[in-house]
Structures are given as C-alpha cells and as structure tokens.
Amino acid sequence: MISFIVLTPPGGPDRDHASTRFLADRFAWLGFVFPGLWLLFHRCWLMGLAALAAQLGAVWLGDQPGFFWAGTFSELALGLLIGLEGRQIVVRNLMAKGWAMADVVAAPDLSTAEMIYFSNLPAETPKPAVPVTDWKNLSPPAQTASRHGPALGLFDIGGGR
C-alpha cells in the first residue's frame, strides 16, 4: 500500500476538486538519480539550488586526488536523502505556499486513492427548485364572521354546527 497525501489549494478546494493534488509518499527514483534537477522541476527552488551546489561540491571532491570515494559516497548520500525525503520537501513547500493537507489515504494506486477520498467527502444536499411548504408549522386561518352560519354539508369543518 502507498500513502497518498491529499492537498487542497489555498482558499479551499473548488467545486469539482479539479485542483486537489494527490502526492504519493514513496521513494522518488528520479530524485535519487538527479536530486537537484528533480527538486527544481517540482519548484522547490531554494532546496534545488542547494542540492545542485552539494552535487557540484561532491563532484569536485571526487576529482581531488585521494578523495574519490568521499565524493562518490557524498553524491550517493545526497541522492538517497532526496530520493527518500524529496516528496516531503515538495509537500512542505506547497504547505508553505498556503496549500492545506486534507487527508492521508492508503491505497494500492492513484485511482483507488482518489475513489476512497472522494467517496468520504460529505455529499451536498441539492436544493429544490420549488420552495417546500413546512406543513407542520402552519398557522390556522383566521375565522371570519361568515363561517358561523349553517354548514352546506353534513358536518361543518369550521365548528359552526
């Protein structure tokens, strides 16, 4: 099962939830292979530039005599860090921009996660086009003077007989 983090845009979701985002909380293979570029692609500018600078530093360190393994392991560590925690960085970046975490859904795939999330939303009660009369709270009609005469049928509904 994959955990999907559901984020709603600033100002709340729109009527049909078209802008609601589902982010899978799992290992990012492209974030592992290309850490800085992956973060820049997901618009995490500051973290992406820092990761690119760390990558360049690791490459420079690997080129120094006697420090090949130090540069290789630091590049591997940076890739592992972004691969494991990159999606959380994206979620934190969106939350800093005003997005709100609505829910966390565990599902095998994205379509199932969407189905689970949208089935748990409260349904809107449709408002009738014609006003509905509240029959329990009607007041009795006012008695007029002509109602005190004889009834036309066998029983007088108004109580005249």
Side-chain angles (χ1 to χ4, degrees), residues 22-108:
F22 288 79
L23 293 172
D25 190 17
R26 60 180 172 196
F27 190 78
W29 284 102
L30 286 175
F32 173 70
V33 178
F34 308 108
L37 295 176
W38 187 85
L39 285 171
L40 289 175
F41 177 77
H42 287 284
R43 298 183 179 197
C44 299
W45 306 116
L46 188 60
M47 294 293 288
L49 291 175
L52 278 177
Q55 280 182 289
L56 290 174
V59 168
W60 177 82
L61 185 65
D63 284 342
Q64 301 304 312
F67 288 104
F68 173 75
W69 291 110
T72 303
F73 285 134
S74 60
E75 179 72 27
L76 181 66
L78 179 67
L80 222 102
L81 178 69
I82 300 302
L84 289 171
E85 294 298 324
R87 303 214 191 241
Q88 285 298 319
I89 294 171
V90 172
V91 168
R92 297 291 177 182
N93 187 34
L94 287 172
M95 289 177 69
K97 291 179 181 177
W99 288 69
M101 185 175 10
D103 200 1
V104 176
V105 179

Side-chain angles (χ1 to χ4, degrees), residues 129-153:
V130 180
V132 178
T133 306
D134 187 13
W135 295 104
K136 293 181 181 177
N137 295 328
L138 285 179
S139 59
Q143 295 286 335
T144 59
S146 64
R147 292 287 297 167
H148 293 294
L152 186 60

